[in-house]
Amino acid sequence: MKKIILLFLILFSTINANAQVDSTLFKDTPRDTLAEDTMNMDAVYERPFFQAGTSPVSVGGYIEADYQYIGEDGITEGHTFRVPRFTLFVGSTIHPKVKFLSEIEFEEGGNEIAIEFAALDINFFPMLNFRGGIIMNPIGAFNQNHDGPKWEFVDRPIAMTEMLPATWSNVGFGLYGKRYVNDWAFGYEVYLTNGFDNSIIANGENKTFLPAAKENFERFEESNNGQPLITGKLAVKNQNIGEIGLSYMGGVYNTFEDDGLILDEERRLDVFAIDFNTSLEKTSTYITGEWAWVMVDVPETYGQQFGDRQQGGFVDIVQPVFRQPLAGFENAVLNLAVRLEYVDWNVGTFRETGANISDDLWAIVPGVSFRPSAQTVLRLNYRYMQQQDILGNPAAKIAGIQIGISSYF
Amino acid sequence: MKYRIWIPVLYTCFLLLMIGCDTVVPEAPAEKDLLDGPIPGLTHEEQDQFLKGDIAFNDDVFTPQTGLGPTFVATSCGSCHPGDGKGHPSTSLIRFGQTEPNSPINAPGAPQLQNRAIPGYQPEKLPEGVPSMKMTPPAVTGLGLLAALTDQQILENTDPNDEDGDGISGVPNYVTPPDYFIPEDHYQPENGKYIGRFGKKASAVNLLHQTATAYNQDIGVTSTFEPLDVYSGLTTDPEVSDQVVRDVVFYLKTLKAPIQRKPQNPLVLKGKGIFTTIQCSSCHTPQWTTPETDITALSNKTFYPYTDLLLHDMGPELDDGATEGSAETYEWRTPPLWGLGLSPDSQGGKYFLMHDGRAESIEEAILMHGGEAQNSRDQFQLLSPEEKEALIMFLESL
């Protein structure tokens, strides 16, 4: 809480200071979200910021708003308007080689406030940077690259937000670095942070559910078991081919002892992910995707609905079909897009029957997006999804329209 | 460059087509293909309580923080009764401890095995040498109609000494009710015991008994009705409120009865005739009518559950050696057949029939009938393939 108050003070003092100067003095530093010289690991800094005069503090953020009309098997909640998130960035260059950046997210109209990122970076060499604070664990690509304006779809990928817990961040320290050689770029990240807790297998979702650990805000104060969570990633990018990343996150998740008393055996969580993105030069088609495997040591006696293995991912295909000045927007782009996604919450078979444990879903989301500028997107999606219960009974069919707008500011 | 023109046009047409047609929101399955949903005619107030019960039954998942276990069988009501239908072998439960009718339950941990445990605890193990019975969860639809019947109506079908000589002698299971049981006027006790109606051996007197016991024995959750923790045996603060238990009871009372599919199909009608001819209907009583009850929508309703709510000797093949109340080890309550054809929709696309799910088809289930049902089973075996097909089609229509 103290950190939140402190960040607010910094933020509001910055805004007040800016309010007294001519707005033309603000330096807008927009970034093209598909810039070719960046990698996924750069996502936190590759955002547009406003900087007032010579002030070392930069401010930015983004907002998402959407409308949806979605139904499941003939039942719909009707027409729904939401502002799923409003995010503020505050950054500061303390020294040319010392930077601070924070990301505070307001969800559900401010009902939920989360510090998703608040870290100090000290740059020693390009291949050796130190980062400490609240960091976003670099598992997959979406976790660090989750800003709404970057995507052509109203919803975030289910596998990355509900199987992997994007946005997943925690307190810790680590190193990262990047090196360019001709068309090639190589990057690495490795961090030690606080980890997950028992809620990943003891939650109201009735399944192994990593995002349940996000509810535990004590993780920003202390580890629930004293064991660090290791997160590491290696990524390679070729300017002409694309980027591929391999990442791992793992550690003991449960509270196995308290006050020196052994409560349970140590139980591990291990996650592997692969992500890629590329842009086809001939057609300008942009393809990005991610797949992850989750392995959890679930007590054998705990019930089979809590799976010990999960897997899932998504692939987005975005095809620009119109790119020219329009209505005063110099670089307006119209995209056609489609997302395919799949999650198997429970990989395995029933002990009693040997039959497959279902508990899975797949979705296809075609859409059209319009970007009047690179930082702003209007999108129309149609979501069609089928979801089966653990037994593999007839799937629930979920479908509907989603219209959204998202923009950096 | 041409593709830049026709691709967006085609794609936009495709999107508009999807948005414009009925697939914007998927259509609801036909009412007759679903087991859930309220009986028609509930008042607004009753619908509100039905909804609360629906949420508690299907959506509430217990965790160690909200009272789960420490030992348990399932984490929620809906885990065992998906879509209010029959359950799966993976959520079967085991009862043990009483080996003779009306005898005390004396095995440690009885009467139900909690075969799962939260992290850090060990689940209960079946004591060596103790007979047990495995039970797959039943469908929970239409229970309010069965609950509304009077004891007198049920007793009219008993024939303990087989005085009519048809080889069938249904008897009620007289059980000792829990302290919180409040008998209604139409109950007819015998030596302080009451007729059980619910459960594979009819061991639950009413739906409150069934529900409070299930919270306690299945989920390890205590209530003011069942305050003893299944693991420690000690009284604990209630982990589920009286109101939630009563909402779930109301939900179970007012769940609609399954609706028969294709009732006028000639094969179905032929099968219905065969069902009566080979005396299946002697136990699987087709039709009942409720008296006046406290819920208007349940009053004076004629319904078709295909059960007599009585215990029958099912022969040595189905004798599991364990029992409940006054039931013998080989006696089982006639299960309602309504909704039988929808069983695969809640059992992962397969049939798991009989009390423990050992039968994987309707025909297999019929052939497992022994004891008082031996005659019907023999007659079934003598049917032509067409007649068998008609009978099974009728059963699937229920």
Side-chain angles (χ1 to χ4, degrees):
Chain A
M1 192 63 197
K2 285 178 184 171
K3 285 179 180 171
I4 294 175
I5 294 168
L6 184 62
L7 284 168
F8 268 108
L9 287 173
I10 293 170
L11 172 63
F12 287 119
S13 63
T14 306
I15 290 171
N16 289 335
N18 290 345
Q20 296 169 27
V21 298
D22 187 334
S23 63
T24 58
L25 297 177
F26 287 124
K27 287 191 289 182
D28 183 3
T29 53
R31 296 280 187 169
D32 186 331
T33 55
L34 303 180
E36 290 182 353
D37 61 344
T38 62
M39 299 176 74
N40 279 314
M41 63 183 292
D42 302 316
V44 290
Y45 282 108
E46 289 303 318
R47 292 157 157 166
F49 286 92
F50 282 103
Q51 190 175 5
T54 56
S55 164
V57 178
S58 303
V59 179
Y62 69 89
I63 186 168
E64 289 192 81
D66 63 50
Y67 154 85
Q68 60 179 19
Y69 181 74
I70 298 242
E72 177 176 343
D73 288 339
I75 297 174
T76 171
E77 297 293 324
H79 305 275
T80 302
F81 299 87
R82 307 181 304 166
V83 176
R85 56 192 64 86
F86 164 64
T87 300
L88 288 174
F89 312 137
V90 179
S92 175
T93 302
I94 299 162
H95 175 278
K97 300 185 82 172
V98 181
K99 293 176 183 173
F100 167 78
L101 182 65
S102 65
E103 177 180 346
I104 305 165
E105 188 159 290
F106 299 80
E107 293 182 312
E108 300 172 8
N111 193 35
E112 191 176 303
I113 302 170
I115 302 175
E116 301 208 321
F117 188 85
L120 272 171
D121 284 15
I122 302 175
N123 167 225
F124 296 104
F125 307 103
M127 277 299 280
L128 183 63
N129 301 274
F130 176 84
R131 173 173 289 171
I134 296 174
I135 64 165
M136 281 184 281
N137 301 64
I139 183 70
F142 186 85
N143 198 46
Q144 293 175 300
N145 212 2
H146 59 265
D147 292 357
K150 293 184 175 180
W151 302 86
E152 316 307 310
F153 301 92
V154 172
D155 280 344
R156 293 174 163 186
I158 295 170
M160 276 54 256
T161 55
E162 295 188 40
M163 186 184 76
L164 296 186
T167 307
W168 171 248
S169 52
N170 221 324
V171 183
F173 299 92
L175 301 171
Y176 68 92
K178 194 165 72 168
R179 180 178 169 82
Y180 291 98
V181 179
N182 300 324
D183 286 342
W184 291 89
F186 165 80
Y188 79 92
E189 294 176 85
V190 59
Y191 301 101
L192 297 178
T193 64
N194 287 337
F196 290 83
D197 58 41
N198 296 43
S199 67
I200 67 172
I201 61 158
N203 56 68
E205 297 290 327
N206 216 14
K207 64 187 174 206
T208 301
F209 190 66
L210 271 53
K214 290 166 66 177
E215 302 299 318
N216 177 15
F217 291 102
E218 286 184 9
R219 73 182 192 276
F220 296 122
E221 296 295 330
E222 61 176 342
S223 166
N224 85 100
N225 56 20
Q227 300 286 310
L229 179 76
I230 300 170
T231 314
K233 182 170 183 180
L234 297 174
V236 177
K237 181 174 182 177
N238 180 287
Q239 302 289 9
N240 303 313
I241 302 173
E243 177 180 346
I244 186 165
L246 300 173
S247 46
Y248 165 79
M249 176 170 72
V252 175
Y253 68 86
N254 65 325
T255 307
F256 56 88
E257 69 171 351
D258 195 3
D259 267 356
L261 300 173
I262 303 299
L263 305 176
D264 191 11
E265 58 190 83
E266 294 183 16
R267 299 187 186 281
R268 283 190 63 82
L269 159 77
D270 295 285
V271 182
F272 296 89
I274 181 168
D275 60 84
F276 70 94
N277 64 74
T278 187
S279 188
L280 306 181
E281 191 177 348
K282 190 174 178 185
T283 58
S284 298
T285 309
Y286 182 67
I287 301 169
T288 186
E290 185 173 335
W291 193 269
W293 297 264
V294 176
M295 278 145 276
V296 179
D297 177 10
V298 179
E300 273 193 27
T301 58
Y302 193 51
Q304 293 173 85
Q305 72 267 37
F306 292 90
D308 58 5
R309 283 173 292 157
Q310 299 179 325
Q311 63 175 341
F314 75 100
V315 60
D316 285 2
I317 303 169
V318 180
Q319 177 62 58
V321 291
F322 173 95
R323 188 192 293 269
Q324 64 184 63
L326 179 72
F329 296 105
E330 291 174 7
N331 294 304
V333 182
L334 180 72
N335 295 305
L336 304 183
V338 66
R339 169 175 289 167
L340 306 172
E341 49 187 332
Y342 175 79
V343 186
D344 186 343
W345 301 107
N346 199 331
V347 178
T349 55
F350 283 111
R351 285 194 285 268
E352 292 80 1
T353 63
N356 177 50
I357 298 176
S358 288
D359 205 6
D360 48 29
L361 67 84
W362 62 263
I364 178 168
V365 189
V368 176
S369 70
F370 174 66
R371 289 183 178 272
S373 72
Q375 298 168 38
T376 303
V377 61
L378 275 158
R379 39 203 179 193
L380 164 65
N381 297 164
Y382 176 79
R383 168 170 289 275
Y384 184 84
M385 186 162 86
Q386 290 203 5
Q387 189 165 351
Q388 276 197 309
D389 67 6
I390 186 171
L391 302 175
N393 290 318
K397 294 173 185 163
I398 299 154
I401 307 164
Q402 299 171 303
I403 299 171
I405 184 168
S406 185
S407 182
Y408 285 111
F409 55 83
Chain B
M1 287 297 288
K2 279 186 179 176
Y3 78 94
R4 295 194 176 211
I5 299 168
W6 61 261
I7 287 181
V9 170
L10 280 179
Y11 202 79
T12 307
C13 289
F14 168 68
L15 264 182
L16 291 174
L17 187 69
M18 293 180 89
I19 290 169
C21 66
D22 289 340
T23 57
V24 169
V25 173
E27 284 184 11
E31 190 67 19
K32 60 184 171 51
D33 293 330
L34 293 174
L35 289 173
D36 63 359
I39 52 168
L42 293 183
T43 64
H44 292 164
E45 187 183 2
E46 288 168 341
Q47 295 228 26
D48 184 52
Q49 190 172 10
F50 177 89
L51 186 60
K52 288 174 182 165
D54 190 352
I55 291 166
F57 188 88
N58 289 301
D59 299 340
D60 281 359
V61 176
F62 285 87
T63 66
Q65 287 71 37
T66 57
L68 176 69
T71 55
F72 63 98
V73 178
T75 51
S76 69
C77 307
S79 298
C80 292
H81 308 279
D84 299 309
K86 286 182 193 293
H88 186 263
S90 64
T91 50
S92 291
L93 55 84
I94 289 172
R95 298 258 174 85
F96 65 100
Q98 188 192 33
T99 52
E100 297 288 336
N102 295 319
S103 63
I105 300 169
N106 50 20
Q112 187 165 304
L113 186 76
Q114 280 80 42
N115 61 341
R116 297 193 172 92
I118 65 174
Y121 287 80
Q122 288 302 310
E124 191 180 357
K125 288 194 174 155
L126 196 61
E128 271 190 42
V130 176
S132 62
M133 49 192 171
K134 183 177 148 193
M135 299 172 172
T136 50
V140 293
T141 50
L143 298 183
L145 294 162
L146 297 173
L149 298 174
T150 65
D151 278 3
Q152 183 56 38
Q153 284 177 284
I154 295 169
L155 290 168
E156 281 168 8
N157 286 322
T158 59
D159 186 14
N161 301 315
D162 192 19
E163 288 176 5
D164 61 4
D166 66 352
I168 294 166
S169 56
V171 293
N173 187 357
Y174 280 102
V175 296
T176 303
D179 295 341
Y180 51 85
F181 172 69
I182 300 172
E184 295 173 56
D185 293 341
H186 62 72
Y187 285 96
Q188 296 183 20
E190 190 173 285
N191 300 323
K193 295 185 176 180
Y194 287 79
I195 295 175
R197 298 178 187 219
F198 303 107
K200 304 284 184 174
K201 278 193 183 275
S203 61
V205 182
N206 64 6
L207 290 172
L208 177 60
H209 183 195
Q210 178 69 42
T211 303
T213 305
Y215 267 118
N216 187 245
Q217 295 286 318
D218 297 357
I219 310 178
V221 165
T222 57
S223 61
T224 59
F225 305 106
E226 298 285 348
L228 298 182
D229 179 66
V230 291
Y231 182 76
S232 65
L234 302 174
T235 304
T236 66
D237 290 342
E239 292 162 331
V240 60
S241 72
D242 284 15
Q243 188 60 55
V244 168
V245 174
R246 291 193 186 280
D247 287 344
V248 168
V249 170
F250 189 83
Y251 172 72
L252 296 175
K253 261 189 182 177
T254 51
L255 265 172
K256 75 171 196 270
I259 300 166
Q260 191 182 6
R261 280 84 53 212
K262 303 178 187 172
Q264 300 307 319
N265 181 294
L267 264 184
V268 168
L269 290 171
K270 183 182 174 184
K272 187 177 182 181
I274 295 167
F275 184 79
T276 305
T277 305
I278 66 173
Q279 291 182 287
C280 303
S281 56
S282 298
C283 300
H284 291 284
T285 308
Q287 178 180 320
W288 295 85
T289 300
T290 57
E292 287 285 338
T293 76
D294 56 339
I295 298 171
T296 306
L298 289 170
S299 301
N300 305 309
K301 292 286 184 291
T302 298
F303 61 103
Y304 305 89
Y306 293 87
T307 176
D308 59 4
L309 295 174
L310 296 173
L311 299 171
H312 294 273
D313 173 2
M314 293 304 292
E317 285 182 42
L318 297 180
D319 185 342
D320 289 356
T323 187
E324 290 178 311
S326 63
E328 297 285 353
T329 56
Y330 46 79
E331 285 182 324
W332 298 92
R333 187 204 65 161
T334 310
L337 295 180
W338 56 9
L340 178 62
L342 298 178
S343 300
D345 287 352
S346 65
Q347 296 187 309
K350 284 183 163 185
Y351 280 109
F352 295 101
L353 304 176
M354 305 307 282
H355 64 274
D356 56 359
R358 69 179 77 175
E360 296 190 13
S361 70
I362 292 177
E363 182 165 357
E364 212 176 305
I366 294 170
L367 294 175
M368 286 177 181
H369 282 56
E372 294 175 40
Q374 182 69 48
N375 182 39
S376 294
R377 166 177 148 176
D378 293 345
Q379 289 190 65
F380 172 78
Q381 287 178 298
L382 294 174
L383 296 175
S384 68
E386 292 76 22
E387 289 171 322
K388 283 181 182 174
E389 184 190 349
L391 177 64
I392 289 170
M393 196 164 167
F394 163 68
L395 292 168
E396 284 177 334
S397 79
L398 295 177

